[in-house]
Every structure is written in structure tokens, then in C-alpha cells.
């Protein structure tokens, strides 16, 4: 019996799926590692083959017919990819997760054993990275980032964002540093101490404003670009760092870092940003990813609600 199913040529179909996924010809070309002219040629070839306009080139978007077709094509190609991955990895679905280094190093990595114990059939690969994932070219399933309030939302088209936690942020330093610096009775008084920062002064500036000391001039004594390096410097008595419960739960418990403020009344923690999970829309309901983001949300909520880490 002859196979009467109708299949379009795969290369144009793949270019079409990439265009709909990334919302742009150049982004689709980057995703496929080809020249953008190749993507354009494939898209026109698919339209000629189907006899249906799939792209609205004046708007740079899919037509209604293109949207409907893409939804089914994307699901079919995802299923092919997942089936192939399962075949090659012995039926263990793999999740590639990128994460901002501080969160990964201080909090997430020690809890992944719990996730693996609960979901032994999922092969989770964690990569700490300062750079935000380029989902289309890096093959990343999820990315965890911290964004200060007011920062531009640079999530590319086709990416969903789920907030995990808005943790309280507070100043910390080593006990030895506080013995040298003396008591700090006011929030504004912190500005006279060596302040440690990851990059620019934005985090400190926002924290001072929300803690009730707007207008304080902030000039970080050191910039170290990584949260764990900032905290390492604070432990060594080099200055005052901003931290949150996800980064310093062990330090506060062990006494290697302490919260600053009048004796018996540390300065309040104030939220100045949030940790968020970024996931491509077409992978949002993938079973392994649903399990991971559900687990991650529950774990983050437990820390956020931990009575030993008061919000202020």
C-alpha cells in the first residue's frame, strides 16, 4: 500500500519552524547557524510548495494560516526531537538549565540532589553563567536570572517568564569588619563604609532609596562582577555587601557574616528585584520541565517563607 501522506521538504519546514520560534529571519538564521538569505529562500520555497501565504512580510510576522500551521509543526518537531533524545539517552529526558552563578553556587546546587531523588528519570544539566541563555542557539531549556526592579525586560520573543521569589535584601559584613568599623546606627551611615558591589552602584542605590535613605551618594569601594566573589570579600573583612537569604543562609547561621544595624535590630530587608525562570513557550508544558519548574517554585517559596530569614 502506497504512503499517501504529504510531507513538505524538511529544510524549508525547519526554517519556517525556526522563524516562528524566534520571531525573526536573522534570529532564525542564528538559531540554525546559516545565513539569513538561506532562511528567506527556504520560507519562500515553503510558501510556493504549500500555495499558502505563511508570512506577513510588511509586519514581519506569521499570517493567521502561518500561525495555525506553525503551532502544529512546532509540536511535531519537538516530539521528534524529544523522541530522538530519549532514544539516544536511554529514555532519560535531559534538561539543560542555565543559572546566574550566585544563586547556583550558594543555593540551587545543594538542592539538586533532592530533585534527582524525586525525579530519577530526568537528566538535569546545570550550567552557571553570567550571560543570559540564547535559547535558540544554545539549546537551553530554562534560564534562571535575577533582575533589579526597573531593569528593561530583555526576554526575547517566544520566551515565558515566571517569577520565583522577591527576596529581602540587606547589608552584611564579617564580625571582624564590624569590630574595626564600629557600630552603624543609621542606614545613611552605611555610605561611609567600603561598599562591595557586583558591577555598578545601581543595586546599592535602589536599596538605600527603598530602605528610607534616598539621595545617598554611593561609590562602591570594589566591583567584583560575581555575587559569590562579593560575599567572599565580605567574609574576608573587606567591606559591606548586599545579600539575600538565597545567598547567605549558611553564613548567617554560622556567623561568618552578620546583618548590619543597631544592636539587636538589624536594618530591614527590602525587595529590590526578583529571581525569575525563563522558558521557551514551546517547551513550557514539556513534562520534564513542568516537574522542574514546579519543584523549583516550591523550593524557592519555602526559603522565601522561612521564619529564620525575616523580610524586615
Amino acid at each position: 500500500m502506497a504512503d499517501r501522506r504529504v510531507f513538505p521538504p524538511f529544510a524549508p519546514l525547519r526554517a519556517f519552524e525556526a522563524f516562528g520560534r524566534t520571531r525573526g529571519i536573522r534570529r532564525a538564521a542564528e538559531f540554525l547557524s546559516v545565513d539569513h538569505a538561506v532562511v528567506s529562500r527556504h520560507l519562500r520555497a515553503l510558501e510556493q510548495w504549500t500555495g499558502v501565504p505563511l508570512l506577513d512580510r510588511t509586519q514581519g510576522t506569521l499570517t493567521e494560516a502561518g500561525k495555525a500551521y506553525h503551532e502544529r509543526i512546532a509540536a511535531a518537531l519537538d516530539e521528534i526531537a524529544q523522541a530522538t533524545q530519549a532514544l539516544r539517552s536511554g529514555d532519560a529526558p535531559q534538561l539543560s538549565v542555565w543559572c546566574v552563578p550566585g544563586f547556583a553556587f550558594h543555593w540551587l546546587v545543594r538542592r539538586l540532589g533532592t530533585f534527582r531523588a524525586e525525579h530519577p528519570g530526568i537528566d538535569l544539566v546545570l550550567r552557571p553563567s553570567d550571560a543570559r541563555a540564547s535559547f535558540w542557539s544554545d539549546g537551553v531549556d530554562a534560564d534562571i536570572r535575577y533582575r533589579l526592579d526597573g531593569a528593561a525586560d530583555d526576554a526575547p520573543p517566544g520566551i515565558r517568564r515566571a517569577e520565583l521569589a522577591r527576596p529581602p535584601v540587606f547589608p552584611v559584613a564579617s564580625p571582624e569588619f564590624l569590630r574595626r568599623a564600629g557600630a552603624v546606627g543609621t542606614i545613611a551611615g552605611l555610605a561611609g563604609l567600603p561598599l562591595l558591589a557586583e558591577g555598578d552602584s545601581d543595586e546599592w542605590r535602589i536599596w538605600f532609596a527603598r530602605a528610607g535613605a534616598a539621595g545617598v551618594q554611593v561609590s562602591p569601594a570594589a566591583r567584583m562582577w560575581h555575587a559569590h566573589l562579593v560575599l567572599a570579600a565580605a567574609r574576608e573583612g573587606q567591606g559591606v555587601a548586599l545579600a539575600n537569604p538565597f545567598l547567605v543562609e549558611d553564613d548567617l547561621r554560622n556567623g561568618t557574616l552578620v546583618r548590619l544595624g543597631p544592636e539587636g535590630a538589624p536594618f530591614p530587608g527590602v525587595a529590590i528585584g526578583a529571581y525569575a525562570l525563563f522558558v521557551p513557550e514551546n517547551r513550557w508544558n514539556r513534562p520534564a520541565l513542568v516537574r522542574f519548574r514546579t519543584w523549583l517554585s516550591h523550593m524557592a517559596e519555602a526559603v522565601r517563607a522561612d521564619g529564620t530569614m525575616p523580610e524586615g
Side-chain angles (χ1 to χ4, degrees), residues 120-134:
I122 298 175
D123 179 16
L124 190 147
V125 179
L126 175 65
R127 175 177 171 178
S129 172
D130 280 324
R132 189 162 186 169
S134 176

Side-chain angles (χ1 to χ4, degrees), residues 264-276:
F267 296 133
V270 293
I272 62 174
Y275 290 105

Side-chain angles (χ1 to χ4, degrees), residues 26-310:
R26 292 189 180 275
R27 286 192 291 269
E30 179 185 356
F31 177 44
L32 297 173
S33 299
V34 299
D35 189 86
H36 71 277
V38 175
V39 174
S40 295
R41 185 165 62 250
H42 282 325
L43 293 174
R44 292 188 183 280
L46 185 62
E47 288 181 311
Q48 293 173 359
W49 190 90
T50 60
V52 178
L54 301 173
L55 274 67
D56 181 342
R57 287 174 173 78
T58 62
Q59 300 294 324
T61 59
L62 296 174
T63 64
E64 290 304 313
K67 291 176 184 177
Y69 188 51
H70 183 271
E71 182 176 352
R72 299 183 68 177
I73 289 302
L77 291 182
D78 276 347
E79 178 61 27
I80 292 172
Q82 291 171 29
T84 303
Q85 183 183 75
L87 178 66
R88 297 179 64 184
S89 60
D91 292 329
Q94 186 179 90
L95 284 181
S96 174
V97 178
W98 284 25
C99 183
V100 61
F103 188 87
F105 181 79
H106 291 285
W107 185 81
L108 180 58
V109 69
R110 69 179 58 186
R111 289 166 172 82
L112 285 182
T114 301
F115 177 80
R116 293 189 176 101
E118 294 177 3
H119 306 286
I122 298 175
D123 179 16
L124 190 147
V125 179
L126 175 65
R127 175 177 171 178
S129 172
D130 280 324
R132 189 162 186 169
S134 176
F135 292 96
W136 314 132
S137 59
D138 296 325
V140 180
D141 296 298
D143 191 16
I144 301 168
R145 296 288 121 188
Y146 181 81
R147 285 291 181 268
L148 287 175
D149 292 342
D153 185 3
D154 54 353
I159 302 299
R160 291 184 65 169
R161 177 184 187 276
E163 185 171 298
L164 298 172
R166 287 181 53 78
V169 174
F170 38 78
V172 296
S174 72
E176 176 59 28
F177 175 87
L178 291 182
R179 281 192 288 271
R180 297 197 313 267
V184 182
T186 66
I187 291 173
L190 284 171
L193 300 177
L195 304 180
L196 308 175
E198 290 187 49
D200 55 29
S201 60
D202 285 352
E203 191 171 4
W204 274 107
R205 179 179 51 78
I206 296 172
W207 185 85
F208 273 118
R210 295 198 177 172
V216 168
Q217 295 299 310
V218 179
S219 181
R223 296 177 173 86
M224 301 184 182
W225 304 104
H226 289 275
H228 54 286
L229 293 181
V230 171
L231 294 175
R235 293 186 198 102
E236 294 298 321
Q238 297 179 26
V240 181
L242 285 177
N244 66 60
F246 288 93
L247 303 179
V248 293
E249 59 177 345
D250 280 351
D251 288 294
L252 296 180
R253 183 183 303 113
N254 299 333
T256 50
L257 292 173
V258 296
R259 292 178 62 165
L260 275 68
E263 187 174 352
F267 296 133
V270 293
I272 62 174
Y275 290 105
L277 180 70
F278 295 86
V279 177
E281 288 178 349
N282 63 346
R283 303 182 201 176
W284 184 258
N285 291 318
R286 181 183 170 193
L289 196 47
V290 170
R291 294 186 180 94
F292 175 70
R293 60 184 174 84
T294 300
W295 171 85
L296 185 62
S297 295
H298 288 167
M299 296 297 286
E301 178 67 27
V303 171
R304 183 170 53 185
D306 185 352
T308 64
M309 302 290 179

